[in-house]
């Protein structure tokens, strides 16, 4: 099976817009997808510039079969999802040619409606960080983050590339009980 390597960014842009946030509040898939995280962290952008990853650059690496990707409706405001029932991890995509957000997130149970089932067990950042990695390993690997606190969780924010000519994208990690439960990569390009 031919796989499409998705090396794009992530953050819930759909929740940033007023229309997206009210629609998402009623969408059973969006509610399910957000069941383990904090709505106060979704679509949150800090007023401070986050530090650059000390690895030089980093991104989210996820393999989704081509036959699954081609069936998804690309939208700048409505995400599409895939689900891994073995790991209870789901992937969300929102955006088009630019302003793309990929969110890899631990979820609670099966989705309320059928979703494509995809093996997400090998999803990781370029530097090897995965869902379940320790908060300490994120800091050890990427350096000191800009930390935002909400709902008893932390959001570790980074800029994903040291190249001053490159577009500064976001690579963020949501930490709950000392473990990564979400990786968001946002590409503004």
């Amino acid at each position: 099976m031919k796989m499409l390597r998705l090396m794009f960014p992530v953050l819930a842009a759909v929740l940033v817009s007023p229309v997206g946030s009210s629609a998402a509040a009623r969408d059973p898939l969006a509610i399910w997808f957000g069941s383990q995280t904090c709505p106060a962290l979704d679509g949150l952008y800090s007023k401070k510039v986050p530090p650059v990853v000390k690895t030089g650059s980093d991104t989210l690496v996820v393999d989704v079969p081509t036959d699954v990707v081609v069936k998804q409706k690309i939208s700048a405001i409505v995400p599409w999802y895939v689900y891994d029932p073995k790991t209870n991890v789901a992937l969300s995509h929102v955006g088009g040619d630019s302003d793309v957000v990929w969110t890899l997130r631990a979820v609670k149970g099966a989705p309320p409606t059928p979703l494509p089932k995809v093996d997400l067990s090998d999803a990781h950042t370029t530097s090897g960080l995965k869902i379940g990695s320790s908060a300490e390993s994120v800091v050890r690997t990427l350096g000191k983050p800009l930390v935002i606190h909400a709902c008893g969780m932390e959001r570790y924010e980074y800029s994903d590339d040291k190249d001053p000519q490159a577009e500064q994208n976001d690579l963020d990690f949501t930490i709950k009980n000392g473990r990564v439960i979400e990786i968001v990569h946002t590409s503004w390009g």
Side-chain angles (χ1 to χ4, degrees):
M1 176 185 306
K2 184 177 178 182
M3 301 293 256
L4 174 64
R5 176 140 321 246
L6 302 171
M7 295 183 68
F8 292 113
V10 204
L11 185 54
V14 69
L15 299 175
V16 175
S17 76
V19 173
S21 62
S22 63
R26 295 184 306 269
D27 178 19
L29 276 175
I31 293 168
W32 164 79
F33 189 68
S35 66
Q36 296 295 302
T37 60
C38 173
L41 292 174
D42 287 339
L44 182 66
Y45 296 94
S46 175
K47 294 181 184 195
K48 295 180 182 178
V49 176
V52 177
V53 293
K54 76 176 186 180
T55 55
S57 68
D58 214 335
T59 190
L60 183 61
V61 180
V62 182
D63 288 330
V64 177
T66 302
D67 64 328
V68 172
V69 173
V70 298
K71 293 177 184 173
Q72 305 308 313
K73 182 178 178 184
I74 304 300
S75 170
I77 58 169
V78 179
W80 57 261
Y81 305 93
V82 296
Y83 171 60
D84 183 345
K86 292 179 185 170
T87 61
N88 272 325
V89 171
L91 177 72
S92 166
H93 170 279
V94 67
D97 291 339
S98 61
D99 301 338
V100 178
V101 177
W102 290 94
T103 304
L104 183 68
R105 183 181 281 176
V107 293
K108 189 173 188 174
T113 58
L115 291 177
K117 293 180 181 169
V118 174
D119 181 0
L120 298 172
S121 62
D122 193 38
H124 60 279
T125 65
T126 311
S127 62
L129 297 166
K130 302 176 86 168
I131 297 293
S133 294
S134 70
E136 294 82 13
S137 68
V138 174
V139 174
R140 186 174 49 253
T141 303
L142 301 178
K144 185 178 177 185
L146 173 62
V147 180
I148 297 172
H149 300 272
C151 307
M153 296 180 210
E154 297 174 311
R155 168 72 52 88
Y156 288 10
E157 293 191 356
Y158 296 93
S159 291
D160 71 350
D161 200 314
K162 285 185 180 177
D163 183 351
Q165 302 302 314
E167 184 172 316
Q168 290 303 300
N169 299 312
D170 292 325
L171 180 62
D172 304 325
F173 299 83
T174 300
I175 309 295
K176 182 178 184 179
N177 299 325
R179 296 281 171 195
V180 173
I181 63 165
E182 174 184 59
I183 303 171
V184 180
H185 194 222
T186 304
S187 172
W188 304 106

